[in-house]
Amino acid sequence: MSIVELSRFPVGDTELRYRHDPKSGRVELTLASAGAPDRETVPEESPVPLAEVKIRGDHNTCGFGAGRTMRENGSTESFRFRDQKVGDREIVTTLADPRGYELIHRLSWRNETPVFTVRIEFRNLSDRPVVLDMIESFAIGGIGPETAEQQSGRIKLHRFRSNWSAEGYHVCDTAEALHLERSWSGHSINCERFGQIGTMPVRGFHPFAAVEDTAAGLFYGVQLAWAGSWQIEFSRRRNFSFSLSGGLADREFGHWSKTIAPGESFSAPEAFLACSTGGFEALCERLLAEQEARLDVPESEEELPIIFNEWCTTWGNPTEKSILAIADKLRGTPVRYFVIDAGWFKTPGTEWFNSQGDWIPSGELFPDGIQATAERLRERGFRPGIWFEFEVCGPGSRAFTEQEKHHLTLDGIPIFPDRHFWNLNDPEAVAYLEERVVQMLRKNGFGYVKVDYNETVGFGCDDPDSPGEGLRRQVLGTCRMFRRLREANPGLVIENCSSGGHRLEPSMFALSSMSSFSDAHEEPEIPVIAGSLHRLMLPRQCQIWAVVKPEHDQKKLAYILSSAMLGRFCLSGDVLGLSPEQWELTCRAMEFYRRLVPVLKHGSSRLATMMGPAWRQLRGNQLLIRRSADGTEAALFLHVFNDPPSQIAFRLPANGEWRILEEFAAPGTGTASIVGNEFRLDAPAAMSGRVVRIGLANR
């Protein structure tokens, strides 16, 4: 094949390179560091199409690929390059099919920040309907070696795995470990397809992937902005190079297909792309820049207020009396948001987890009405918040039976893992939620809502097109509800929660002020999960709990409190039962946190770990360095686990002389110092935590 350069565009230190094969009509997109030499074209190489669909009726993937991938199918052969138009920070590449179809690939960026948003749109300009069984959100080609001699151990795939209460577990595999070596002849499709099916997008994996070319010192990365079923494919080409692609979960993987009528179009979820020669952490930081650019939060969020949530205090049994007693204790502290969690709606004989759906405040728990409780919280200086799981209804609610026809079904039967799901594309269901949720917040004066979501729909729901399309439309309904909450309640703070971190992905970040990091509220791995999430989300949006109890000694209490400082500090637990010494340490932690806000709000993070692979049996230590945007200050979050060494030492950024400004730690847990350009902690105590503020000596 004769592959030619179509165009190239420098953006910061990154270069976008488009290659074109005039014979096949394919166009490939690759990312490179500016000034890097072009890859040599191997004779049998074909470009990786920058956008692909699978049209039903076109032949399936060959080379033993069916069931493993839907790429490189008959539809791929039909789309040919038509034109490319360059606008203001946008490149639009159009592929056309002679049958009357178009694929529009839009790539855009902001200023000179080299992180790119890709939007792919399919248009049916023919006179007949067409069924899509797959559409990609992105594809990057030209990754890695050209010959077998260059291949061994060179290419690595980075991912973040996730389970309940164990979000953000970083794994790295070589292509060989994934069994992606080229066969003796290059025949067969070979790929690693992974993703998530259902309405909890972070379950098994986060929608993130990075490919490391160790020889070139280059990382390629992607984040998908989608809260439903998704997939990513890391593929070895028939030669020796690799590609990275993905988007909406397709018919094979996610039971999705959709009919596009004549004159209609369909757009895939957005994807964020970046590359970096600065290492894995630098790549993640670039992808986070797009999240920060899309941040849309109320003015009250600018100071990163501390939250109190009474869940780990009352455990689903909040009362007006208990809430106001806690509020009186918190008066005069930096806490600004007070959240009433699950259970405020319970009826006699039910529990919070099976009675959600009617959303009528309990007169037994709140004898003066929940509006009065909200008003009394405001009188005490707090913004009142409240918990909802509005997308579902439990079997103990009246809505479960009385509103069943407005719930999601599969094969005509209500989907019922342990609750029903509202059909968010049913106007009557939406009207019900408008009254019971949206207007309830407004009428009762709540300025904060915690939106929880504790079960997944599964692979899909009834829809004329496919179960996967029904699920996709349900996710869009959820997004509309989040927007409606803000529209009807200006200034509303929205917390995104899904049994902890099951919705930690960019589209949900853009719809909310912050997100619950995990359900590991009382576990020793809190700082490990929270530290890892610095690479996937902004710390200003990552809510981390500090659950305090009278049985905690000073060391454990400081460990818990210092862990919460890694993101948005959320206090919970038995604050009324703490001793004066415990309460003094808790208040000191909150005051210390206020001085960390500028660094947490704008800065960059680097994570250094010296620990084993087991999160539930922690050994070693972890240091996260969060540096201010101007580079003159930093916060060191150091957590020591079991079997610590006699001294822990880390090199600091080498751009000046650093000094310790202040630290938060329990007495007797080690001595911190800076010697030259090295931070040291002597005699570190096992299972202890500390936060150290440092600054450049000449500032």
Side-chain angles (χ1 to χ4, degrees):
M1 292 188 177
S2 178
I3 301 174
V4 299
E5 179 180 295
L6 177 64
S7 56
R8 63 175 64 199
F9 304 91
V11 181
D13 62 3
T14 300
E15 197 165 67
L16 301 164
R17 297 176 181 177
Y18 292 82
R19 301 196 306 161
H20 176 222
D21 175 23
K23 183 177 179 181
S24 68
R26 294 185 176 194
V27 176
E28 177 183 85
L29 168 67
T30 190
L31 309 181
S33 59
D38 293 336
R39 293 179 71 254
E40 294 183 15
T41 301
V42 180
E44 68 271 22
E45 182 179 23
S46 63
V48 174
L50 82 175
E52 281 196 75
V53 296
K54 171 61 170 70
I55 295 171
R56 188 170 297 177
D58 291 348
H59 75 70
N60 295 332
T61 304
C62 59
F64 320 129
R68 299 188 69 184
T69 181
M70 296 189 76
R71 305 186 75 242
E72 300 283 352
N73 58 73
S75 306
T76 307
E77 299 170 1
S78 298
F79 282 91
R80 301 180 63 87
F81 173 66
R82 173 179 287 173
D83 59 42
Q84 187 175 79
K85 297 178 181 178
V86 181
D88 182 18
R89 301 185 182 91
E90 182 180 60
I91 304 164
V92 181
T93 308
T94 301
L95 309 178
D97 184 311
R99 294 172 291 184
Y101 315 135
E102 288 183 345
L103 268 176
I104 314 298
H105 180 281
R106 289 184 172 85
L107 184 148
S108 60
W109 63 94
R110 304 170 191 270
N111 303 318
E112 294 305 308
T113 303
V115 56
F116 309 97
T117 299
V118 175
R119 303 171 181 88
I120 293 179
E121 177 189 3
F122 173 85
R123 293 176 180 173
N124 182 6
L125 305 179
S126 74
D127 59 0
R128 64 185 64 186
V130 60
V131 179
L132 296 184
D133 286 334
M134 182 269 280
I135 182 170
E136 289 185 328
S137 291
F138 77 98
I140 306 171
I143 299 174
E146 297 97 11
T147 67
E149 291 74 20
Q150 299 173 334
Q151 182 170 330
S152 181
R154 171 174 171 173
I155 302 298
K156 297 179 180 180
L157 175 65
H158 294 257
R159 294 178 284 184
F160 287 96
R161 302 193 69 97
S162 183
N163 285 320
W164 177 71
S165 293
E167 294 82 354
Y169 191 98
H170 177 224
V171 293
C172 176
D173 299 288
T174 64
E176 290 79 6
L178 296 171
H179 208 41
L180 295 181
E181 285 186 283
R182 183 182 186 271
S183 66
W184 62 271
S185 69
H187 185 61
S188 85
I189 300 291
N190 205 353
C191 77
E192 173 82 357
R193 180 169 63 181
F194 63 98
Q196 184 283 144
I197 304 303
T199 45
M200 287 178 156
V202 178
R203 195 166 54 100
F205 290 97
H206 290 255
F208 167 100
V211 178
E212 178 184 1
D213 184 339
T214 59
L218 185 63
F219 287 81
Y220 308 81
V222 61
Q223 267 192 316
L224 290 171
W226 180 238
S229 300
W230 60 270
Q231 66 187 48
I232 291 177
E233 297 184 42
F234 175 51
S235 305
R236 183 199 44 77
R237 308 284 292 151
R238 292 177 189 262
N239 50 46
F240 296 97
S241 66
F242 293 82
S243 67
L244 190 65
S245 61
L248 194 68
D250 58 29
R251 189 184 187 193
E252 283 187 349
F253 195 73
H255 307 269
W256 179 85
S257 59
K258 182 173 178 60
T259 300
I260 313 299
E264 291 186 349
S265 63
F266 180 83
S267 295
E270 293 180 330
F272 307 151
L273 309 180
C275 76
S276 174
T277 56
F280 181 64
E281 306 277 340
L283 172 74
C284 294
E285 186 179 327
R286 291 203 166 169
L287 292 169
L288 290 176
E290 185 60 26
Q291 291 184 27
E292 187 163 20
R294 293 170 180 239
L295 200 61
D296 181 18
V297 297
E299 186 177 350
S300 66
E301 278 289 275
E302 291 307 315
E303 297 303 317
L304 311 193
I306 293 175
I307 309 103
F308 181 86
N309 184 303
E310 53 75 39
W311 170 252
C312 291
T313 310
T314 72
W315 298 104
N317 191 42
T319 65
E320 178 181 349
K321 181 179 179 181
S322 64
I323 287 167
L324 296 183
I326 296 167
D328 287 336
K329 176 77 171 183
L330 294 172
R331 268 183 162 175
T333 72
V335 173
R336 293 295 176 265
Y337 299 155
F338 193 114
V339 182
I340 303 170
D341 211 282
W344 56 268
F345 46 82
K346 289 191 307 183
T347 56
T350 67
E351 296 292 343
W352 73 268
F353 52 81
N354 63 16
S355 57
Q356 68 275 56
D358 297 335
W359 306 121
I360 298 172
S362 167
E364 182 179 336
L365 299 174
F366 298 90
D368 293 339
I370 205 161
Q371 181 178 4
T373 303
E375 289 174 353
R376 289 163 187 167
L377 285 172
R378 285 195 181 274
E379 290 169 0
R380 287 162 170 78
F382 303 106
R383 174 182 287 232
I386 196 164
W387 179 97
F388 275 97
E389 191 183 6
F390 63 72
E391 294 158 84
V392 306
C393 54
S397 68
R398 293 177 61 182
F400 185 83
T401 52
E402 294 178 4
Q403 302 287 334
E404 183 178 293
K405 65 180 180 180
H406 304 299
H407 300 163
L408 290 182
T409 60
L410 183 63
D411 301 323
I413 303 168
I415 298 172
F416 180 49
D418 60 355
R419 64 201 73 196
H420 281 181
F421 300 84
W422 290 100
N423 181 351
L424 298 181
N425 291 286
D426 181 330
E428 292 193 40
V430 173
Y432 179 94
L433 295 174
E434 174 72 22
E435 175 193 351
R436 299 294 178 96
V437 180
V438 178
Q439 297 305 320
M440 184 275 191
L441 294 171
R442 185 182 64 81
K443 291 175 182 177
N444 291 287
F446 286 99
Y448 182 118
V449 60
K450 175 180 177 179
V451 181
D452 210 341
Y453 187 69
N454 294 308
E455 195 49 86
T456 175
V457 168
F459 71 85
C461 53
D462 286 332
D463 182 87
D465 281 316
S466 64
E469 173 59 10
L471 186 138
R472 187 190 71 88
R473 295 182 67 242
Q474 178 73 0
V475 170
L476 294 178
T478 296
C479 295
R480 287 193 299 271
M481 277 295 300
F482 271 69
R483 294 188 186 98
R484 176 60 186 154
L485 288 169
R486 283 278 299 272
E487 178 187 8
N489 299 277
L492 181 70
V493 175
I494 300 177
E495 176 191 340
N496 163 44
C497 180
S498 179
S499 286
H502 285 97
R503 279 179 164 172
L504 296 181
E505 59 80 30
S507 75
M508 295 302 294
F509 298 152
L511 292 170
S512 52
S513 300
M514 66 187 96
S515 296
S516 175
F517 87 116
S518 181
D519 265 359
H521 296 320
E522 300 183 88
E523 303 308 310
E525 59 265 33
I526 288 175
V528 180
I529 298 170
S532 185
L533 288 177
H534 271 242
R535 299 173 292 194
L536 291 165
M537 63 186 298
L538 301 172
R540 66 168 294 165
Q541 288 194 289
C542 186
Q543 186 183 116
I544 307 163
W545 285 35
V547 181
V548 296
K549 295 182 176 181
E551 57 264 34
H552 293 159
D553 61 21
Q554 293 274 298
K555 183 180 73 167
K556 184 166 185 179
L557 193 58
Y559 182 95
I560 291 166
L561 294 166
S562 62
S563 299
M565 295 184 199
L566 280 159
R568 291 300 297 276
F569 195 117
C570 180
L571 183 66
S572 191
D574 187 7
V575 296
L576 297 178
L578 297 182
S579 69
E581 293 77 18
Q582 290 172 317
W583 183 237
E584 187 277 331
L585 183 63
T586 301
C587 291
R588 184 156 60 86
M590 291 190 285
E591 294 291 349
F592 186 93
Y593 176 80
R594 299 307 310 149
R595 296 188 288 277
L596 293 175
V597 165
V599 173
L600 288 170
K601 189 175 174 183
H602 299 295
S604 58
S605 302
R606 294 293 183 270
L607 183 65
T609 60
M610 296 183 66
M611 51 184 283
W615 280 9
R616 296 291 294 157
Q617 298 175 357
L618 292 169
R619 282 172 172 73
N621 56 77
Q622 171 183 284
L623 174 71
L624 186 139
I625 302 176
R626 177 75 177 175
R627 196 169 181 188
S628 64
D630 64 5
T632 61
E633 288 193 21
L636 310 182
F637 301 84
L638 179 58
H639 288 86
V640 182
F641 310 126
N642 290 311
D643 303 328
S646 60
Q647 183 187 75
I648 297 171
F650 293 93
R651 288 201 172 277
L652 298 172
N655 66 329
E657 182 183 348
W658 294 93
R659 61 188 176 92
I660 293 177
L661 302 176
E662 60 175 335
E663 69 174 324
F664 172 82
T669 56
T671 302
S673 63
I674 294 177
V675 179
N677 201 42
E678 187 175 75
F679 172 82
R680 295 177 182 175
L681 181 65
D682 291 298
M687 301 310 297
S688 64
R690 69 197 324 109
V691 183
V692 183
R693 288 183 61 229
I694 64 174
L696 290 175
N698 57 351
R699 296 297 295 265

